[in-house]
Every structure is written in structure tokens, then in C-alpha cells.
Amino acid sequence: MIYYYIYYLCTPKSNIIKTFMMKTILISLFVLIASTASALESKTINVNGSTRKYLQYVPKGIGKNAPLLISCHGMNQDANYQSGMLKIESVADTAMFITVFPEGEGKSWDISGNKDINFILGIIDKMHEDYKIDRGRVYLSGFSMGGMFTYHAM
């Protein structure tokens, strides 16, 4: 059917009809793509009396026991920067895993105490509560200071 419309648009007919049909096809394709795409969501969680922020990406159709990737930003960066740099959504859609980008307080991570470790543990609990993630397949990664925090968390 789409082939017919494309063929029709390529034959010499009225330009008004061609323009209308091309716009209709493009709008339909855009709506189809937009309706199947998941979005990065901004969330908050209360940990030890503090409200903490994070971004989450959950592929459509995710089932129980999905893996969880937590990716931490570097110093003086934020969760939006980390998600934009990583661009993991298409991989997460294919491999069916959830991704969380936590926001460090003051654009930094606590690499000497447990404040941010408790934040990460709270996120893991929340993801298990909401999506029944597989607690045996939780992966923590980070860039720069986020990588130092990952090492600290081990």
C-alpha cells in the first residue's frame, strides 16, 4: 500500500495532491515511530531523608528479571549529560535492559562514605519494586568521578 502511494507521488499528477499525500505519509510514519519509542523519565527517590534525582530509561515491553545498568556522571556533570554522552537507548531496546542515570549531589559523588552507596541501593530497590529487575544482574558504571564512585562501591 505504501509502495502504491510512493509510486503515485512520483507520477506526473497535480502538485497539490502530491504534497498532501506526502505530508500524510510523513505524519503517519512520525506518529507510528513516536508511539513505539520509550522516553527518558526524570524521577526522584527519598533516601535517608534526602530527595535525590535520577533519570530512567525503560524499554517498552520490558519483562520481569531484566538487567539494570546504573551509569554515573563525572564531576561537574549531571545525569542529563551522562545519558546524552552514553546514548544507550537503542542498545537497551535491543538487549531489553533498564538504564538509570543517578544525579550526584553538587554534581559530585561521595567516594569516602556511604551516602551515595545508599542512594544506589535505594535505586536498585525501587527498580525491583517497579519492574522486578534481576538483582543478580545489576551493573554500575561511571565516567571519570562516576568511575571512581563505581570503584568505591565495590
Side-chain angles (χ1 to χ4, degrees):
M1 181 119 172
I2 290 177
Y3 174 78
Y4 171 75
Y5 286 128
I6 293 172
Y7 173 78
Y8 177 79
L9 293 173
C10 295
T11 57
K13 302 248 188 323
S14 166
N15 283 339
I16 295 171
I17 294 173
K18 283 185 196 179
T19 302
F20 173 76
M21 292 302 290
M22 185 57 93
K23 285 181 181 178
T24 302
I25 291 170
L26 290 175
I27 289 171
S28 298
L29 287 174
F30 176 75
V31 168
L32 178 67
I33 290 168
S35 68
T36 60
S38 295
L40 200 58
E41 295 179 83
S42 179
K43 300 282 188 169
T44 60
I45 188 171
N46 192 317
V47 179
N48 296 334
S50 261
T51 301
R52 303 290 300 267
K53 298 178 188 178
Y54 63 94
L55 300 175
Q56 73 179 28
Y57 182 80
V58 180
K60 286 203 182 281
I62 197 81
K64 290 182 180 180
N65 296 316
L68 172 64
L69 171 65
I70 301 171
S71 182
C72 302
H73 61 79
M75 186 171 191
N76 292 324
Q77 297 167 346
D78 58 18
N80 282 316
Y81 177 85
Q82 185 69 9
S83 69
M85 182 184 70
L86 197 57
K87 297 181 184 178
I88 196 85
E89 291 86 355
S90 63
V91 177
D93 286 338
T94 303
M96 296 305 283
F97 62 87
I98 296 171
T99 308
V100 172
F101 302 96
E103 182 85 36
E105 286 184 331
K107 297 188 174 188
S108 183
W109 296 104
D110 175 11
I111 57 173
S112 61
N114 289 330
K115 180 178 67 171
D116 286 336
I117 289 176
N118 291 335
F119 175 36
I120 298 302
L121 292 173
I123 288 173
I124 294 168
D125 290 343
K126 181 70 173 152
M127 294 298 109
H128 186 264
E129 178 185 318
D130 292 353
Y131 302 103
K132 306 296 184 237
I133 60 150
D134 181 351
R135 288 181 182 269
R137 294 191 297 160
V138 175
Y139 306 95
L140 182 63
S141 70
F143 172 72
S144 191
M145 188 175 198
M148 290 173 61
F149 172 67
T150 298
Y151 180 75
H152 171 69
M154 297 187 328

